C-alpha cells in the first residue's frame, strides 16, 4: 500500500481524517460446478420405457492480481493519555470492494 493521509490536529480532543492511495493485491480462486441430468421417457400408460442419468463436474483454478485504489475515513477522540479511534477503509479489487473497519484504544506515554 502506498497512499496519503490528511488529518486534522491529532493532539486536539477530537480529530478526523481521510486516506487515499493505491494497493497491490493477489488472489487465488477455485470454482467448482456440478450438474446432474435425469431424463425419463414413459409410454402412454406411465410405464418407464427408458431413462438416462449423467453427472457432469467441472472445476477451474486460477490467480488474479492487480493494483487498485483504496480510500477511507477515520475519527478519533483523545482523553488524557488515552485515544479511541474508529476507521473504515474500502479497497477496490476488480469487481469486488472488500472493506476494513477497526476500533482502537491506545495509551500514549
Amino acid at each position: 500500500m502506498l497512499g496519503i493521509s490528511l488529518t486534522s490536529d491529532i493532539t486536539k480532543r477530537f480529530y478526523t481524517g481521510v486516506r487515499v492511495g493505491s494497493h497491490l493485491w493477489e488472489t487465488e480462486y477455485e470454482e467448482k460446478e456440478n450438474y446432474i441430468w435425469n431424463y425419463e421417457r414413459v409410454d402412454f400408460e406411465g410405464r418407464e420405457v427408458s431413462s438416462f442419468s449423467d453427472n457432469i463436474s467441472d472445476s477451474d483454478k486460477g490467480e488474479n492480481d492487480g493494483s487498485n485504489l483504496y480510500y477511507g475515513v477515520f475519527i478519533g477522540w483523545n482523553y488524557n493519555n488515552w485515544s479511541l479511534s474508529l476507521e473504515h477503509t474500502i479497497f477496490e479489487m476488480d469487481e469486488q470492494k472488500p472493506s476494513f473497519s477497526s476500533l482502537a484504544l491506545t495509551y500514549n506515554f
Side-chain angles (χ1 to χ4, degrees), residues 81-100:
N81 290 350
W82 291 95
S83 178
L84 182 65
S85 61
L86 176 64
E87 170 191 350
H88 184 73
T89 303
I90 298 172
F91 301 88
E92 294 188 4
M93 296 174 56
D94 279 346
E95 298 171 8
Q96 301 176 9
K97 287 189 175 183
S99 62
F100 170 78

Side-chain angles (χ1 to χ4, degrees), residues 27-79:
T27 61
E28 294 180 10
Y29 67 89
E30 182 175 358
E31 296 177 358
K32 291 184 179 182
E33 297 178 84
N34 193 24
Y35 301 99
I36 299 174
W37 297 90
N38 290 315
Y39 169 76
E40 293 181 2
R41 194 172 77 177
V42 295
D43 63 11
F44 288 110
E45 296 176 358
R47 295 183 301 235
E48 184 179 311
V49 175
S50 64
S51 66
F52 171 75
S53 180
D54 195 10
N55 187 354
I56 302 171
S57 295
D58 187 23
S59 65
D60 184 25
K61 292 183 179 182
E63 294 182 7
N64 286 333
D65 60 1
S67 173
N68 287 94
L69 180 71
Y70 74 86
Y71 47 91
V73 295
F74 57 92
I75 187 168
W77 174 63
N78 291 317
Y79 181 74

Side-chain angles (χ1 to χ4, degrees), residues 5-12 14-18 74-76:
S5 180
L6 303 172
T7 181
S8 60
D9 188 354
I10 61 173
T11 62
K12 301 290 184 186
F14 289 98
Y15 60 93
T16 61
V18 295
F74 57 92
I75 187 168

